[in-house]
Amino acid sequence: AAAPSAAVGLRPGCAVHVRGLVSRPELNGCRGRLVTWSDERDRWQVLLEGAVQAQLLKKENLAPLAEEQGGGGVVAVAPAAGAPSADPEAADWSPTVRLATTADAGNDALVAALVSIINESYRAAMEGLVDDPARFVRTDVEDIEERLGGIGYGAMKRYLVLALKGDEVVGCSSVTTGWRQSDLGQFGMLAVSRSWQRRGIAMKLIRFAEAHCAAMGMREMQCEEMTCTDGSHITSNWMMKFYQERLGYKVVQTYQCPQGHPTRGASTCRDLDFLIYRKPLSADGGGAAEEKRPSWFR
């Protein structure tokens, strides 16, 4: 089969996002760049953000992104006009990601929104892992106010990273430097508003956290997850694949959480594992796996 015409906007090096996948819906909304066209498979090789190996995807499942010059190089932006809550093809849907400031701690509406987003996200992830997800409480107002203001214990410094669309918070993550050792960074409390999921926001938050830690002299990054590792829980399978295959983290420690183990107001309803992930950080803020990307992948 002939390669798709450049007239439709698909050519090697082109920035694209994935859409309409049924067999692998977790990839919908992800961004990447086209590597080359495969005549044999009648598909494009696509290197997605955070991935080491290219994916083979049909042209019908790829939409080109317009590109504009930003402070750090070429940045992909969605091409068509529309409301922020519309399809990922809508223009200007990508949020601003930044560290929280002490002023944010006094914003009652922001605090309430963060508490809601985080608890809702974690309760959804806990379905099938705990006896009553509605009882699972990841955070509260006091905790978020403290994190927004910044937490410091000796060399350890912890902040929240916010994803904002105008005045609306659409996602967040914590970021910590000096976590248990002087050169170890950590991210956690990763959550994205349900109406903004599948748009690469989690990836943006993690990349920001990694870059912040690298800039602060951290040489390694850590995250943790309580999960089901026997292959029977869909969300757990997706998250383990996300951390290991797309982000390049490796499991370095595993702790057992037996059925009935208390956790944040609920109890585990099956035997689970608590996984410690780590990966090295490079001086430019990326993980070691990113060094394998082609030079044109920004």
Side-chain angles (χ1 to χ4, degrees):
S5 168
V8 299
L10 297 178
R11 59 182 66 84
C14 174
V16 295
H17 77 260
V18 182
R19 62 180 181 179
L21 284 177
V22 176
S23 60
R24 301 189 64 189
E26 71 275 8
L27 296 183
N28 289 330
C30 293
R31 295 183 175 197
R33 287 185 183 271
L34 301 181
V35 180
T36 188
W37 172 256
S38 171
D39 284 331
E40 180 181 356
R41 302 295 296 275
D42 197 28
R43 284 167 171 78
W44 280 100
Q45 289 187 15
V46 187
L47 188 61
L48 300 176
E49 289 183 355
V52 176
Q53 295 183 337
Q55 303 281 339
L56 283 170
L57 299 174
K58 295 179 180 179
K59 60 182 181 294
E60 293 82 5
N61 297 120
L62 299 169
L65 292 166
E67 294 185 330
E68 60 182 17
Q69 292 295 325
V74 175
V75 216
V77 294
S85 58
D87 184 84
E89 291 183 62
D92 197 26
W93 60 265
S94 186
T96 299
V97 178
R98 66 169 176 82
L99 280 179
T101 67
T102 53
D104 293 319
N107 185 332
D108 292 343
L110 174 63
V111 171
L114 285 168
V115 171
S116 177
I117 290 171
I118 293 167
N119 284 331
E120 182 182 82
S121 296
Y122 272 82
R123 285 166 182 160
M126 288 295 108
E127 290 281 353
L129 301 182
V130 299
D131 54 356
D132 186 359
R135 291 169 48 205
F136 187 93
V137 179
R138 179 63 181 86
T139 192
D140 57 25
V141 169
E142 183 178 359
D143 178 42
I144 292 301
E145 287 178 342
E146 184 178 28
R147 289 171 184 265
L148 286 170
I151 302 172
Y153 298 106
M156 191 277 283
K157 306 294 181 186
R158 171 169 286 171
Y159 302 92
L160 272 185
V161 181
L162 305 178
L164 299 160
K165 188 66 182 72
D167 294 330
E168 178 188 3
V169 61
V170 298
C172 69
S173 172
S174 68
V175 60
T176 305
T177 54
W179 176 245
R180 303 187 184 276
Q181 61 191 60
S182 61
D183 61 353
L184 179 61
Q186 186 254 12
F187 78 86
M189 199 176 272
L190 180 67
V192 177
S193 175
R194 179 172 298 184
S195 60
W196 285 82
Q197 292 175 5
R198 307 295 189 192
R199 304 190 186 199
I201 294 175
M203 181 72 78
K204 289 179 179 291
L205 288 162
I206 294 169
R207 292 304 189 205
F208 185 99
E210 290 176 343
H212 170 77
C213 286
M216 298 302 291
M218 303 298 103
R219 301 182 65 182
E220 199 171 23
M221 199 73 174
Q222 175 172 308
C223 63
E224 307 91 23
E225 180 190 19
M226 186 174 71
T227 190
C228 173
T229 58
D230 66 8
S232 64
H233 189 257
I234 294 175
T235 301
S236 295
N237 295 342
W238 188 91
M239 290 303 299
M240 287 187 290
K241 187 173 183 179
F242 178 72
Y243 286 132
Q244 295 180 77
E245 295 186 14
R246 294 194 61 199
L247 293 172
Y249 285 80
K250 294 182 179 180
V251 176
V252 296
Q253 286 180 293
T254 301
Y255 300 94
Q256 293 183 339
C257 298
Q259 183 176 350
H261 180 77
T263 175
R264 301 185 182 276
S267 297
T268 57
C269 63
R270 62 199 299 175
D271 292 340
L272 302 175
D273 289 320
F274 189 80
L275 306 181
I276 308 294
Y277 295 93
R278 286 190 183 179
K279 80 170 181 181
L281 292 176
S282 59
D284 62 1
E290 286 194 315
E291 296 174 2
K292 300 179 182 178
R293 290 180 175 180
S295 60
W296 48 257
F297 194 101
R298 298 177 181 269

